[in-house]
């Protein structure tokens, strides 16, 4: 498959040509403003103003019609962002009795803590004046650890009596509380063993719950195999998205080595799957019917993969984007990767405006845009004729391109920068292709006695190599640079420096060079 990109060499071209660029910026602006102000009235007024502009555009002169219509659409999208965010904010405010008896559905498998298990609960009803009153709230629960709490499964209904601690977003843990609210939770609660029990209601058969259960069944294949205890959680995280099984040491090793993106199943893994399937199905390009069948298999396969990884938001985002591209190929329409990225981002933000504040959302889309824009330009810097060296050079380019636009966000959120990321990406990204292919083959050969075991052993060896390599890089001197805490203004200035330097290097524009120097000076003044 050929994911075509624009031939333009500047960012302004993107903003003019791609409608969804302006729409996504407007939607994001509305979300940000509403999140900061939490005041709905200005957005309702803006929405009415946008309707007035759209109405006026119908009677305006031809030279003003498009301007009025465009302004009306952008204002309506901006106000929609604010209004949708206010709806999501209502869900994260308790609005129910803080101490009562509740009926709730478990949304995930319990995660083991020191003295409790953490479980996400979706409260469906609360007892008020002796009667069950329907409600729709999500809470983070900490249930006293025992054999019963450890056996909770997604979709099961539990009845508990406890006190809810609402998330106010203020106080000592304001940052963490704000994070939980943006994830859709309204409170936390501790539930002792005698305060809860499973109800007799059959488990809810929701698609996301079924996906988590199926992922758990597949993960048992690794747990029952001869794979080492060090490699097992790495393989489960890299192929099924079970990052909750990783210990702190492994997470730190991958972070310092600059390959944390390999642990969280995301667009990279979906892209690898598509490339592998394209290789396996290469013979289906012979005629039109076979080509359409191949595209359908690709579409079905990536959605099955999203299902078995638990339908995590990062995978669903990537699958939606690639689905748009594949459908374009099936319909013989030339699909532009910028359109696919912007359309998927716009759709995800309409579905849940709080995705805008999700670190995974920000990093994945920033990395994809960076790769699409910078990787072809980096490839053209050095012409490599040897096929083997060319392959590794292209992988190195992808890693460099991804880091160009993501490093300000990495500095902002993690206050560190991995200095050896090129070495580890050079070694481990190609192996991730091989690993995913081997794991797929192991699933396909489960019923063949020796073949399935052989592939699992091979996957385990690769997992051990990942663990050993990242641990080695972690222990190297100067493996990571510690960066002082940054604020959003400094991050914005960093992106301004990046923008001006990009325009200057590509177009030799003197004004851009002056803009870059001015931005650097401004960064020094505000730091």
């Amino acid at each position: 498959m050929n994911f075509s990109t624009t031939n333009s060499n500047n960012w302004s071209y993107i903003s003019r040509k791609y409608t969804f660029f302006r729409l996504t910026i407007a939607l994001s602006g509305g979300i940000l403003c509403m999140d900061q102000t939490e005041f709905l009235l200005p957005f309702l007024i803006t929405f009415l103003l946008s309707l007035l502009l759209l109405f006026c555009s119908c009677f305006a002169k031809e030279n003003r019609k498009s301007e009025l219509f465009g302004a009306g659409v952008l204002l309506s999208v901006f106000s929609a962002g604010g209004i949708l965010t206010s709806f999501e904010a209502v869900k994260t405010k308790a609005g129910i009795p803080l101490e009562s008896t509740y009926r709730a559905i478990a949304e995930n498998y319990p995660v083991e803590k020191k003295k409790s298990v953490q479980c996400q609960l979706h409260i469906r009803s609360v007892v008020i004046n002796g009667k069950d009153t329907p409600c729709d709230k999500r809470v983070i629960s900490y249930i006293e650890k025992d054999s019963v709490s450890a056996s909770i499964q997604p979709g099961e209904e539990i009845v508990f009596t406890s006190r809810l601690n609402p998330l106010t977003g203020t106080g000592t843990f304001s940052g963490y509380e704000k994070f939980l609210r943006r994830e859709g939770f309204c409170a936390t609660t501790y539930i002792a063993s005698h305060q809860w029990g499973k109800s007799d209601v059959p488990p809810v058969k929701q698609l996301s719950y079924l996906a988590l259960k199926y992922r758990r069944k597949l993960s048992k294949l690794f747990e029952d195999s001869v794979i080492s205890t060090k490699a097992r959680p790495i393989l489960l995280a890299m192929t099924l998205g079970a990052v909750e099984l990783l210990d702190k040491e492994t997470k730190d090793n991958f972070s310092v080595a600059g390959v944390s993106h390999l642990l969280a199943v995301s667009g990279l893994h979906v892209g690898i799957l598509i490339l592998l399937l394209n290789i396996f199905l290469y013979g289906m390009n012979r005629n039109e019917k076979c080509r359409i069948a191949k595209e359908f298999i690709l579409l079905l396969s990536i959605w099955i993969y999203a299902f078995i990884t638990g339908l995590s938001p990062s995978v669903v985002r990537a699958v939606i984007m690639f689905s748009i591209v594949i459908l374009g190929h099936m319909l013989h329409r030339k699909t532009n990767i910028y359109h696919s990225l912007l359309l998927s981002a716009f759709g995800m933000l309409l579905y849940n405006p709080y995705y805008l504040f999700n670190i995974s959302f920000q990093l994945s889309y920033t990395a994809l845009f960076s790769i699409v824009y910078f990787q072809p330009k980096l490839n053209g810097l050095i012409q490599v004729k040897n096929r083997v060296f060319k392959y590794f050079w292209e992988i190195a380019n992808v890693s460099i391109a991804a880091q160009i636009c993501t490093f300000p966000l990495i500095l902002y959120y993690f206050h560190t920068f991995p200095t050896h990321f090129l070495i580890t990406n050079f070694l481990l990204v190609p192996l991730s292709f091989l690993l995913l292919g081997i794991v797929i083959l192991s699933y396909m050969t489960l019923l063949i006695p020796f073949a399935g075991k052989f592939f699992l052993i091979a996957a385990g060896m690769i997992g051990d190599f990942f663990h050993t390599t990242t641990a080695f890089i972690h222990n190297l001197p100067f493996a990571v640079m510690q960066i002082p805490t940054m604020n959003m203004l400094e991050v914005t200035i960093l992106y301004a420096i990046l923008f001006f330097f990009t325009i200057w290097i590509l177009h030799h524009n003197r004004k851009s060079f002056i803009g870059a120097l001015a931005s650097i000076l401004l960064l020094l003044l505000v730091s």
Side-chain angles (χ1 to χ4, degrees), residues 94 98 139-140 162-168 177 186-190:
L98 297 180
V139 300
I140 295 287
S162 72
R163 177 172 179 78
L164 302 182
N165 304 303
L167 301 170
T168 60
E177 289 189 357
C186 71
T188 61
T189 185
Y190 177 79

Side-chain angles (χ1 to χ4, degrees), residues 376-389:
K377 295 168 177 54
L378 293 172
N379 256 349
L381 292 177
I382 301 176
Q383 299 297 325
V384 181
K385 295 182 179 180
N386 185 283
R387 292 181 65 181
V388 176
F389 286 114

Side-chain angles (χ1 to χ4, degrees), residues 25 29 99 127 133 147 152 170 230 239 291 308 313 316 320 326 346 359 372 429 459 462 486 500:
I25 292 297
E99 193 165 0
V127 175
T133 304
S147 58
I152 295 174
T170 60
K230 290 291 186 183
T239 58
R291 187 192 65 79
I308 66 174
V316 171
I320 290 173
I326 293 171
F346 186 79
I359 298 174
V372 169
V429 170
I462 297 175
M486 301 178 66
F500 285 124

Side-chain angles (χ1 to χ4, degrees), residues 318-478:
V319 168
I320 290 173
M321 186 197 71
F322 283 113
S323 295
I324 294 169
V325 176
I326 293 171
L327 286 171
H329 279 261
M330 291 178 71
L331 298 173
H332 292 287
R333 293 188 177 182
K334 188 177 180 181
T335 309
N336 192 293
I337 195 68
Y338 288 125
H339 274 136
S340 302
L341 283 169
L342 292 166
L343 178 58
S344 64
F346 186 79
M348 295 294 282
L349 291 176
L350 280 178
Y351 173 73
N352 187 346
Y354 281 136
Y355 281 154
L356 183 65
F357 305 102
N358 184 281
I359 298 174
S360 173
F361 180 91
Q362 295 173 12
L363 287 175
S364 60
Y365 274 102
T366 304
L368 284 169
F369 273 109
S370 190
I371 290 169
V372 169
Y373 187 79
F374 286 106
Q375 198 264 348
K377 295 168 177 54
L378 293 172
N379 256 349
L381 292 177
I382 301 176
Q383 299 297 325
V384 181
K385 295 182 179 180
N386 185 283
R387 292 181 65 181
V388 176
F389 286 114
K390 184 179 180 181
Y391 172 73
F392 284 102
W393 168 240
E394 288 178 351
I395 289 174
N397 281 342
V398 170
S399 300
I400 295 170
Q403 293 288 343
I404 289 174
C405 284
T406 57
F407 87 90
L409 288 176
I410 292 171
L411 299 184
Y412 176 70
Y413 285 115
F414 306 110
H415 318 301
T416 60
F417 189 79
T419 55
H420 303 311
F421 74 92
L422 268 181
I423 300 172
T424 46
N425 278 273
F426 192 78
L427 287 171
L428 300 184
V429 170
L431 278 178
S432 63
F433 280 73
L434 182 61
L435 175 64
L436 191 57
I438 289 174
V439 171
I440 291 171
L441 288 172
S442 70
Y443 292 151
M444 293 170 63
T445 56
L446 287 177
L447 299 178
I448 304 174
F450 298 105
K453 187 174 181 180
F454 169 78
F455 287 122
L456 282 175
I457 292 173
M461 293 173 64
I462 297 175
D464 285 323
F465 181 77
F466 269 81
H467 179 268
T468 304
T469 303
T470 53
F472 173 76
I473 296 293
H474 181 276
N475 293 323
L476 288 177
F478 310 109

Side-chain angles (χ1 to χ4, degrees), residues 140-176:
I140 295 287
S141 68
Y142 296 90
I143 306 173
E144 187 176 347
K145 188 189 297 185
D146 56 30
S147 58
V148 182
S149 62
S151 67
I152 295 174
Q153 295 198 20
E156 286 186 336
E157 183 180 80
I158 71 169
V159 181
F160 68 95
T161 301
S162 72
R163 177 172 179 78
L164 302 182
N165 304 303
L167 301 170
T168 60
T170 60
T172 307
F173 302 103
S174 60
Y176 179 63

Side-chain angles (χ1 to χ4, degrees), residues 496-510:
I497 294 170
L498 175 63
F499 173 80
F500 285 124
F501 266 122
T502 300
I503 300 301
W504 174 59
I505 292 170
L506 294 177
H507 304 291
H508 308 290
N509 187 306
R510 291 183 180 179

Side-chain angles (χ1 to χ4, degrees), residues 174-219:
S174 60
Y176 179 63
E177 289 189 357
K178 185 170 279 189
F179 164 76
L180 289 180
R181 286 187 63 183
R182 287 169 174 172
E183 291 295 308
F185 299 101
C186 71
T188 61
T189 185
Y190 177 79
I191 308 172
S193 295
H194 66 277
Q195 292 178 309
W196 77 282
K198 296 183 180 181
S199 75
D200 297 328
V201 177
V204 176
K205 293 184 178 179
Q206 189 172 306
L207 187 62
S208 58
Y209 302 153
L210 293 174
L212 289 172
K213 290 179 179 179
Y214 195 77
R215 188 182 77 169
R216 174 61 66 93
K217 289 181 180 179
L218 285 177
S219 66

